Amino acid sequence: MTSILAQQEDTGSILVKVQDELRHLRDQLTNSGAAVDIEAITSAIVRTEKAVQGKAEELLSAQQNQVLTLPTLAHVSQHAMQVPAKRSSSVYYKQRYSTNFSVHKTPGQVVKDQLISRMIAAPMHQPSNQIARQIIQEQYGVSKPKEKYPLPPISPPKPMLGPTIKGSPPLPKANRLNPRLTPPAITERDAKKGILSLCERGLIPPAAELTLEPSPIKHKPSPLHLQNCNPMGLEKIADARELEHTMVGVQLDISVHEQDVPIVYPKSQASNVTGPRVITANVPTRGRSDASTFKMGNTPLSQMRSQINSQMSPHPPPVGPPQTPALAMSKSRKFTIQGGRTVYDNSDFEDYRKDYAAHWSLILPCLQELELVLSQFAIPVAVVDGENLVRLALSYKMNNRPTVAELIDCCTNQASILNLMGSPGQIYKGPQGYDLAAAKIQATFKMYLDRCKYLVYRQSKQAAGIIAMNWIMVMKMTTIRSRLKTSRALHLMKYRERLKELKTNWPKIQQKKRVIIHIPSRGYNQSIRDSLVDYHNLQNSQMGRICDVNDPNVEVIYISPIDLDNDMQQYYQKLLGMGVTSEAENVPETEAKVKFIVPDHLDAFPGLNFCLSTILLYSAQTLKRLKRLIAGKEAYIVPGLMHRDDMQLSEVLNVPVVAAEPDVTHLYSTKSGAKRIFANANVAVPPSEFDIYTEEQLFELLASLIAGNLGVTRWVFKIDSEFDGRGTAYCDITSFLSCHKWALKQAERYGSKWSKRWAQEPTTIKIYSELPEIIYNHLKIVNSTLFPSVDKFLVAFTKSGGVIEACPPADDVTCITVDMFIAPTGEVEIKNTGDQIRATEFQTWALSSPQTSISPERVHNNSISVANACYERGIIGYISVGYATFIDPASNDQALWAIDLKVSYTDTMAMANVLQYVSGGRFEPSTGLFKIPAYKVMPKISSRFKSPKERQPPNYRFAILAPRLFHTNLSLVHYSVFFQMCRAHHIGYDIREREGSIFTLIDSYKRDLIGMAVVESDLVTAMKTFHRNLSVVHQEISSANLPGKNNFNTLIMEVDKIMASLAVEEPAAQEAVESEEKTEL
């Protein structure tokens, strides 16, 4: 800008000098009156012309940002290149910058001159441009210089080999081999690569159902023949305002929202379009100018330069119509289009065409586009505003088409046109309507067919994915099952090897120091474990296992299924101290021999009721601790009910298990399995049938049993897999059997032949016809909470299998429990016997030990036979046999039936272990007495005796063992308060007399379950003490308003009945005991 100002100052100084010279010449002519010097005047004019010419060129070049013109031929030397006279620079200068504008250039010529000027400047940036070199040579005679060294040919770039992007890491190998593993986390960087990348890498399974939000496919109904719908998607455009004569050259900016509208243009003679074509009609803001070429006639140079500058600017301002006389007229230019054709033979159209002849090349394409739209929609009449059409034409280039909305805006009756265009099916009334309708129908039908095919394909793909996933899961499950089968077979083989070694070394192990790992696990089936409430408390009811430290060579590791708080641990430490009578310094050593271990993953599986062995197997830290504790020592595992995980624990710890194989244990722990053992042991059993799996079989066998045993009134139904009377039901069938008297007459008629099947067949058929109704109406279920109806009980009975057996035909029936241990060498040791104290008819809550209901010899012989039969089938470890004894009314002899078998460590065995530990006694199977070592007790000094005398106490004890006493109100009393209450009522154990009451704590959280053992010198005293303890505790923790749920009341009533019967038998029993003591002395 400073250079331009400087050049303007130079031009002014030149003009001032010329003015001074002309003034000087005028003064000379005026003063002297001499003749005029024509040469001096001519030379001054020539100098002024040359100076002004040079400065004008520099000024115009700086203003227009163009290259300077070459000097004229007059200043070129004689040896310079000759330029043709007709293309001299002076002529070119005169043509371009002459102030005489008699010949006006058209806008096209102006643009052409500008393009030539740009091409002349092109060699500065592109020396190899041949067109620019040719123009310079034609205009100024300057040829292209010769190149000394030709440029080497440019070879095409070599293609790059290999990947151009960095690949993503695939799915880890562990996840590819085991799809159940947790897949790696998807980072934000992985998510940015898209779903396809995640699927290819395997982070998303191939069969996963993916839903894209928002969906890329947007369903939209077809716009064909819809009522109240605008198919073109056009909004009604406001009428254009008329330009007033005072606003000539100003274009109004009317903003309209953009919207894409698909418009189909048919073939027309007015356009160069072949066939139907679809364009998108955008309705932009009016007044926008995208023109870069201006064709104007008689345009002033200043306006032309402003247009050129606006063309070269990045954001051109809106350009209004040229200020021509035609636009300045206030008369409006309107013409008519009928049937898509402009009415040419009209004076208005002819005047309009003449007035805008200079812009007709821009108006004609817009007019043709408007005709196409009106013809397409079969618009009968449209009145076009010529001025609006001119503005629209000047706003677009030749290669750009205006939108449909802008074309319709040029019409004065645009409201009626838009209504017609918005009516359904209007587009199909045009010249190409038949073809467009056919194309629309074909497209819609093809879309329908493709949609149907896609739906079928998608359904087939989903089905294939489901089938593939199921097949993969089946194959994986098959592989896992085969692996588990192989693994279990390997575990079983190693278990048998360790058991064989244990059998060989068992006598030596019993004489050496050893570690016993007690795992009170109850490996019931999953369905049974799920139905149990407080399953872990049930497993912990065998805390008496720790009393195995009574043997000085034994260390005990007790795996606890619950968390033991400080109160429980302190109590059991005191309990262990009660077994030492003389040497107090041995108490810490005894306590150190017992270790309580709680699995670290005890609470990791809430609600699943995993057995303790499974939880211990999943507790890696606990297993490591166990390995350290048993390192270098003889050790073996004593489980509860054997489970497969017990066998796997044996392999992990590399110690044997003193128990049978899991499958063998579960087979003979069932009611049907026990019947097989009893049959092999040749012991007396009640009339029964087992392995029943259908209702038809149930009714047939029951009818046969009733016909063969008409004297049996009650029949008992037991589910194989249940325990402790949970799956037991009974029915007094003969009292509801209408043909019972007739059957008795038939039995009396046949006499000794009644045992034959053919004699019982008519009776069996008649009984069979009445059984279903009797069973469904009169069957009584012991545990109605587990089986609320007869139908559910029979479903479980037939599903798991069951047993039907006769109830003893007597009013006074006593059940006996015998706990035994079968050594790996086959030796059998009877640990305890006892008479059951039942809270209900088929549920046992306590045991009076030892049993006094039948001759101990008969119980001993039968138990040894059952144990030998078990050992023959591979059963070792702890077992428990249940008997029923009564007076047979037929023979008037005492009968003993074997009715139950448990192949596991029992709660009564644990309580008997506590009894032996605190009293120091031992059960003698031959005599059936629990004897303690002889000791002397000094009586208390009183006024009657001058000196105390020694008293010889009896050397036998009787005990009441109650492993599970339940009372909900016990949870309201803390253990310390409970023991203070017991001391206040003189409930405790006397270590010197070896009599009293011992408690076992089971739960440290709810505290509603305890165990109690009462030890006395005779059975009646033991019963009275047990009765008193229950009454005192129940009265202390209960009230009339809060009795609580418990089994105390039923036990108290049962003990009252037993005490009433013992009051009659006590004198005879006392005489028998005294006579036995005399014989021993």
Side-chain angles (χ1 to χ4, degrees), residues 13 72 208 232 425 549 660 700 727 866 975 1000:
S13 61
T72 58
M232 302 308 298
V549 294
E700 288 179 358
V866 172
Y975 282 141
T1000 57

Side-chain angles (χ1 to χ4, degrees), residues 455-473:
L455 292 177
V456 173
Y457 168 74
R458 186 177 66 179
Q459 185 178 5
S460 302
K461 186 177 180 180
Q462 292 177 354
I466 294 173
I467 293 172
M469 290 299 296
N470 289 337
W471 177 250
I472 291 172
M473 293 302 298

